[in-house]
Amino acid sequence: MWTVIILLAFTFMARASNNMIQTTVPLIAREYFNATEAEIGLLSSVISVSSFIATMWVNARLDSVKRRILFEASTLLYFLIFIIYPFVNYIGLWLTSVAVGFLLGIIMPNVATSSSIIGKDQGTRERVIALYTFALSLSLTIGPIIESIILRYFTLRDAFLFFSVFSAVMVALSPKLPFPAEKPGGVRFKLSSIWGKASFRVAIYNNAMYSLPFAMLTAFGGIYAIEYFHADNSLVYLLFAAFFTTSFATRLYISIRPIRDVKYASISMSILTIVGMVVMTLSPNMYAYAVALAILGIPHGLTYPLSLIVISRDSRDDERNIMNSAFSSIMTIIGILSPIALGISAELLGLRYMTIIVEASVVFFTWLLYRSLRELNPNVLLAKNTPNLAR
């Protein structure tokens, strides 16, 4: 029980502070340094590039003992970055973003792996995964509200000092997170064999389908609200709170009633994403924009836990770090390309027409997802007698 509580507390602090960086750095680049949309997109991509390097070429290739040492050291350096961020110049903003991306590339995959090894049976583990993703959404709901309050009285730069408290808690909790015991030499990183699993491809396409919408919201969602609806910085974070509140509610629901049917959940998620993007493109005012964000929060609540559950159902404990690292690496590659593509699209077409390109990407990855779902093992596709907390 205490292990689960520690996992949830660490997850809350890590994701709240991570999201604060993702949404605040673009605003700092625009407000303090007059960065263009293309520069903002590239800056967001730089964070993803360094995260990819850490996950793919470092974390995936270390055994559990070395990974734990690096993990604990990374949480300490992550805390120091928050102290540095408020005082950087434009070049420093890029350098600290590179550093924070690398550290998150070590921290976040290991937290995901920890969430999938707690419990003696698959039903319990899926419940812990759901609770883990629930903590992610809780942090994404409360974090923007906290930042909105902070920004009523302080600057964007000052907000980093307040959120350094979150990273300090991570330093204290990091030694207590569980790590899988791997057999020496038993698991080798080989992406070609991992890609051969339909379950892994389903996990990738699930998240890839939602990658451009989420990249657009984190990099340009606040700027979109400011330019089209004249929102101030404080109101921007309340809009983010609307998005993450429905995500939070969705993950609360699947914590109580775990996902049984992967195909039904995946297709529902795709349809809601398309609907949300259409509402955003056509939104005439702030209220319609808020509704679009609320709709898009539902598939956001489903994508990541669904991917982790599919991986968990079709992998052994000693494979889990490799699978999660490969999953994180591929999603990070998409995260690298997405802000760049979005930034160029925004420069050429404008923010509103950029959303049409995002809608097209959702349809494309939904088609790939459907093809892989047809190849999925029936035992992975549909769980039997999955326990839920309502019983």
Side-chain angles (χ1 to χ4, degrees):
M1 182 62 179
W2 279 110
T3 303
V4 175
I5 293 173
I6 289 169
L7 170 70
L8 298 183
F10 186 97
T11 300
F12 180 92
M13 300 298 171
R15 192 63 182 99
S17 57
N18 177 9
N19 183 66
M20 182 268 176
I21 290 173
Q22 288 180 314
T23 56
T24 305
V25 165
L27 293 177
I28 284 182
R30 168 61 67 86
E31 185 170 314
Y32 289 89
F33 304 111
N34 297 316
T36 65
E37 277 83 1
E39 288 174 325
I40 291 169
L42 185 59
L43 180 60
S44 296
S45 293
V46 161
I47 297 176
S48 297
V49 168
S50 58
S51 182
F52 166 74
I53 292 171
T55 302
M56 184 80 168
W57 302 108
V58 181
N59 189 70
R61 299 172 185 274
L62 296 178
D63 60 41
S64 60
V65 175
K66 293 177 181 176
R67 276 192 297 111
R68 175 175 282 284
I69 295 171
L70 182 60
F71 174 75
E72 293 179 17
S74 295
T75 59
L76 178 59
L77 293 173
Y78 185 65
F79 164 72
L80 295 176
I81 288 290
F82 273 86
I83 304 300
I84 295 171
Y85 249 128
F87 309 103
V88 297
N89 56 19
Y90 188 55
I91 295 175
L93 185 67
W94 286 78
L95 294 177
T96 48
S97 296
V98 169
V100 83
F102 186 89
L103 297 174
L104 288 169
I106 299 297
I107 293 169
M108 299 311 293
N110 282 300
V111 182
T113 298
S114 294
S115 74
S116 64
I117 62 173
I118 298 174
K120 295 182 179 180
D121 59 84
Q122 184 61 26
T124 301
R125 290 183 175 189
E126 289 189 17
R127 186 185 300 168
V128 173
I129 289 172
L131 288 171
Y132 157 69
T133 58
F134 165 75
L136 290 174
S137 278
L138 181 62
S139 68
L140 296 176
T141 302
I142 295 177
I145 293 174
I146 292 173
E147 186 158 8
S148 177
I149 295 170
I150 292 170
L151 292 177
R152 287 177 181 269
Y153 308 102
F154 299 93
T155 68
L156 287 168
R157 288 180 179 273
D158 295 334
F160 285 97
L161 296 177
F162 286 92
F163 275 83
S164 67
V165 176
F166 287 54
S167 56
V169 174
M170 291 168 58
V171 176
L173 295 179
S174 62
K176 303 181 184 300
L177 282 182
F179 271 57
E182 296 157 355
K183 299 175 183 177
V187 180
R188 297 292 181 187
F189 184 86
K190 193 174 181 181
L191 185 58
S192 59
S193 62
I194 296 173
W195 189 258
K197 290 190 172 188
S199 57
F200 184 75
R201 295 197 305 276
V202 166
I204 291 297
Y205 294 145
N206 261 322
N207 267 62
M209 182 277 301
Y210 198 74
S211 60
L212 270 184
F214 189 65
M216 183 195 71
L217 290 174
T218 53
F220 298 104
I223 296 169
Y224 191 100
I226 291 169
E227 288 197 2
Y228 285 98
F229 308 119
H230 310 294
D232 58 25
N233 287 335
S234 179
L235 183 56
V236 163
Y237 284 92
L238 287 180
L239 288 170
F240 280 127
F243 170 80
F244 289 120
T245 295
T246 53
S247 174
F248 164 77
T250 302
R251 289 182 178 175
L252 175 61
Y253 178 80
I254 64 173
S255 297
I256 298 171
R257 294 186 178 276
I259 296 170
R260 289 190 69 244
D261 190 331
V262 169
K263 183 176 181 179
Y264 175 79
S266 297
I267 298 303
S268 299
M269 177 184 67
S270 301
I271 292 171
L272 284 170
T273 303
I274 293 170
V275 170
M277 288 305 306
V278 170
V279 173
M280 175 178 288
T281 302
L282 301 177
S283 58
N285 53 47
M286 181 76 71
Y287 301 105
Y289 183 66
V291 169
L293 292 182
I295 293 172
L296 289 169
I298 299 172
H300 178 265
L302 281 173
T303 49
Y304 187 56
L306 186 58
S307 295
L308 289 184
I309 285 171
V310 172
I311 289 174
S312 177
R313 287 182 184 177
D314 201 31
S315 63
R316 303 187 310 268
D317 282 0
D318 60 351
E319 295 176 318
R320 206 64 51 77
N321 175 59
I322 299 295
M323 294 280 281
N324 284 330
S325 293
F327 172 73
S328 296
S329 296
I330 293 174
M331 293 317 304
T332 301
I333 293 173
I334 296 175
I336 293 167
L337 300 177
S338 295
I340 296 175
L342 291 171
I344 294 172
S345 299
E347 286 278 338
L348 297 177
L349 304 174
L351 290 174
R352 192 178 291 273
Y353 287 104
M354 176 187 67
T355 62
I356 297 174
I357 294 175
V358 176
E359 290 163 16
S361 77
V362 173
V363 173
F364 173 70
F365 281 112
T366 297
W367 174 68
L368 293 177
L369 173 62
Y370 180 74
R371 290 182 58 187
S372 293
L373 284 168
R374 295 171 61 184
E375 302 174 28
L376 203 58
N377 186 310
N379 293 328
V380 178
L381 189 65
L382 184 64
K384 297 180 179 179
N385 301 320
T386 304
N388 65 68
L389 299 180
R391 294 179 181 174

